[in-house]
């Protein structure tokens, strides 16, 4: 986990110090632009069916392409480590999403709304995950920004033993985003 924290800190440090060298031929939310980034979160879960709680650390990388001004179609990954009653589990996932950013070229703060779904799996279960979020991207320069997102997540999963369950989570997550245009 320390490696991930150092990596994100290094990206943020370089983004703040990076000069804005590219000419302003377009802007971050223009059609044809790309967004690379993601969020990291630390959160608690409440398992509805089993009345359990767990603690999770998660990384969610994202790659997006802007087809229309402000509208990004995304590929999402998910890597998580959770602990619950002395056990540790790892989760991996992949899926599509869509994000709409509000903003104009002169803005440095871009509010957004996001929806995504993921097929995720662990050593003992397969899951379908739906996430919705609202947040902001604060551009540090023309191409790199800091992301803050409030989210709601719903998981529906089946265990290898044949049992099924659902759970929900909500919270605040932070990350970085880099725009190529």
């Amino acid at each position: 986990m320390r490696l991930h924290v150092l990596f994100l800190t290094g990206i943020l440090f370089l983004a703040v110090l990076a000069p804005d060298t590219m000419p302003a031929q377009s802007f971050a939310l223009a059609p044809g632009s790309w967004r690379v980034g993601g969020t990291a979160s630390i959160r608690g879960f409440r398992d509805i069916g089993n009345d359990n709680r767990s603690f999770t650390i998660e990384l969610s990388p994202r790659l997006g392409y802007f087809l229309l001004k402000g509208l990004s179609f995304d590929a999402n990954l998910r890597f998580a480590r959770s602990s619950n009653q002395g056990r540790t589990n790892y989760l991996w996932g992949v899926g599509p999403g869509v994000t709409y950013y509000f903003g104009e070229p002169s803005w440095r703060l871009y509010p957004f709304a996001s929806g995504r779904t993921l097929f995720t799996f662990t050593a003992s279960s397969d899951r379908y995950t739906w996430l919705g979020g609202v947040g902001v991207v604060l551009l540090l320069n023309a191409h790199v920004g800091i992301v803050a997102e409030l989210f709601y997540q719903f998981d529906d999963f089946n265990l290898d033993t044949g049992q099924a369950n659902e759970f929900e989570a909500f919270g605040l997550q932070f990350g970085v985003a880099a725009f190529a245009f």
Side-chain angles (χ1 to χ4, degrees):
M1 182 179 127
R2 285 188 225 169
L3 181 61
H4 300 299
V5 172
L6 289 173
F7 178 73
L8 289 174
T9 304
I11 289 174
L12 183 59
F13 180 73
L14 290 174
V16 170
L17 295 179
D20 197 5
T21 58
M22 294 188 72
Q25 61 213 14
S26 188
F27 84 113
L29 309 182
S33 294
W34 287 89
R35 184 193 77 249
V36 177
T39 57
S41 66
I42 299 174
R43 59 184 153 180
F45 283 100
R46 182 176 73 92
D47 182 334
I48 297 167
N50 295 313
D51 194 28
N52 263 332
R53 296 189 184 276
S54 65
F55 180 75
T56 300
I57 298 171
E58 181 175 310
L59 295 175
S60 299
R62 296 185 190 131
L63 174 65
Y65 180 75
F66 288 87
L67 272 169
L68 302 170
K69 177 185 167 196
L71 184 62
S72 170
F73 290 91
D74 307 325
N76 302 285
L77 297 174
R78 183 175 174 199
F79 309 104
R81 178 187 182 275
S82 65
S83 59
N84 179 357
Q85 299 174 345
R87 296 179 309 218
T88 299
N89 297 308
Y90 296 92
L91 177 131
W92 306 89
V94 62
V98 63
T99 304
Y100 186 78
Y101 294 85
F102 303 90
E104 296 299 326
S106 61
W107 295 13
R108 293 184 55 90
L109 187 68
Y110 295 125
F112 67 86
S114 177
R116 48 202 181 271
T117 185
L118 294 159
F119 173 70
T120 56
F121 55 93
T122 67
S124 62
S125 71
D126 294 330
R127 301 178 185 199
Y128 292 98
T129 303
W130 294 270
L131 295 110
V134 294
V136 294
V137 174
L138 173 63
L139 289 181
L140 302 172
N141 62 38
H143 298 278
V144 178
I146 299 172
V147 178
E149 180 182 25
L150 291 169
F151 70 91
Y152 172 79
Q153 172 182 324
F154 180 82
D155 280 50
D156 181 15
F157 67 96
N158 296 303
L159 297 170
D160 291 344
T161 61
Q163 297 176 327
N165 199 0
E166 302 171 334
F167 68 82
E168 59 187 355
F170 52 91
L172 175 64
Q173 55 192 7
F174 297 96
V176 295
F179 296 87
F181 51 92

